[in-house]
């Protein structure tokens, strides 16, 4: 079966522009995560969706960042007025619910964002 | 709050040699523990996880990890590495939410 897919795989944008990153989770996975991975750094949690529950947005670094999820399917991460420090790989992961801490996450290949 | 430390940023071993990647965590109780691997240009893939029970956990690709409560460690091991093991390895600890370490990049010498 298909894994987690993300698009675009690479995105180059100019400072100040808005970008949208897309994540298609594994079918049937109700939980979805977004992470940011800066060069040489670990994974920085951004946001967590679980079914119809209110998302955990505690990791979003500023109000320029937002994410939406349509039901239990596609999610979009939007970064407004991009800054150079937003340059990173943005990873999406999905999982089937077994308690948030226990969930095995299945990751997409990421979107590499470069802000010039 | 939980935290996780991977002391080694880079590790280089020769093909066929044994490997140990270190992971230390901080948490008041026993958290859930994971090792993930990230090959170049790929997302992360779960190698193994520990929730409870036997402290020696077997994973995919010939990896194993041992939970040592007294040392707050969950080190990853492999008896004989292959060139295809060159990747970045992330330890993660979870209590109410999962936190990833900064990763150890493994280089393999031919």
């Amino acid at each position: 079966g298909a894994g987690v897919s993300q698009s675009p795989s690479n995105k180059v944008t100019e400072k100040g522009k808005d970008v949208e990153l897309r994540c298609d989770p594994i079918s049937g996975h109700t939980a979805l995560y977004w992470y940011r991975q800066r060069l040489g750094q670990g994974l920085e949690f951004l946001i967590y969706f679980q079914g119809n529950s209110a998302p955990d947005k505690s990791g979003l670094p500023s109000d320029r960042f937002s994410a939406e999820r349509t039901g239990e399917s596609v999610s979009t991460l939007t970064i407004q007025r991009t800054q150079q420090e937003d340059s990173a790989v943005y990873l999406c992961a999905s999982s089937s619910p077994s308690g948030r801490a226990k969930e095995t996450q299945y990751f997409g290949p990421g979107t590499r964002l470069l802000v010039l | 709050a939980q935290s996780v430390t991977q002391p080694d940023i880079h590790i280089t071993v020769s093909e066929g040699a044994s490997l140990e990647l270190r992971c230390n965590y901080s948490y008041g109780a026993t958290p859930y523990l994971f090792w993930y691997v990230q090959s170049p240009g790929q997302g992360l893939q779960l190698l193994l996880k520990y929730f409870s029970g036997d402290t020696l956990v077997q994973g995919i690709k010939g990896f194993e990890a041992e939970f040592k409560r007294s040392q707050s460690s969950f080190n990853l091991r492999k008896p004989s590495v292959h060139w295809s093991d060159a990747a970045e390895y992330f330890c993660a600890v979870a209590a109410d939410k999962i936190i990833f370490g900064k990763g150890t990049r493994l280089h393999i010498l031919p």
Side-chain angles (χ1 to χ4, degrees), chain A residues 37 58 101-102 104-105 107-108, chain B residues 32 36 38 43 46 49 95 98:
Chain A
Q37 186 179 26
S58 60
K102 286 187 171 183
T104 295
Q105 297 180 40
F107 284 80
Chain B
Y32 304 126
Y36 282 83
Q38 185 178 31
L46 180 71
K49 59 188 176 184
I98 192 166

Side-chain angles (χ1 to χ4, degrees), chain B residues 11-34:
Chain B
I11 291 266
T12 300
V13 299
S14 298
E15 191 169 17
S18 64
L19 170 70
E20 183 169 32
L21 302 182
R22 295 184 291 164
C23 173
N24 293 96
Y25 69 90
S26 174
Y27 186 62
T30 299
Y32 304 126
L33 296 159
F34 305 80

Side-chain angles (χ1 to χ4, degrees), chain A residues 33 35 37 40-43 45 56 58 89 91 100-110 112, chain B residues 9 32 34 36 38 41-46 49 51 88 90 94-98 100-103:
Chain A
Y33 297 77
Y35 294 92
Q37 186 179 26
Q41 299 295 310
L43 273 68
F45 165 76
D56 177 356
S58 60
V89 176
L91 291 167
R100 180 172 174 179
K102 286 187 171 183
E103 295 164 354
T104 295
Q105 297 180 40
Y106 296 84
F107 284 80
R112 188 174 300 275
Chain B
I9 299 173
Y32 304 126
F34 305 80
Y36 282 83
Q38 185 178 31
Q42 304 292 314
L44 279 70
Q45 180 185 20
L46 180 71
K49 59 188 176 184
F51 291 166
E88 189 146 23
F90 292 92
D96 57 336
K97 59 178 70 174
I98 192 166
F100 288 84
K102 293 190 174 183

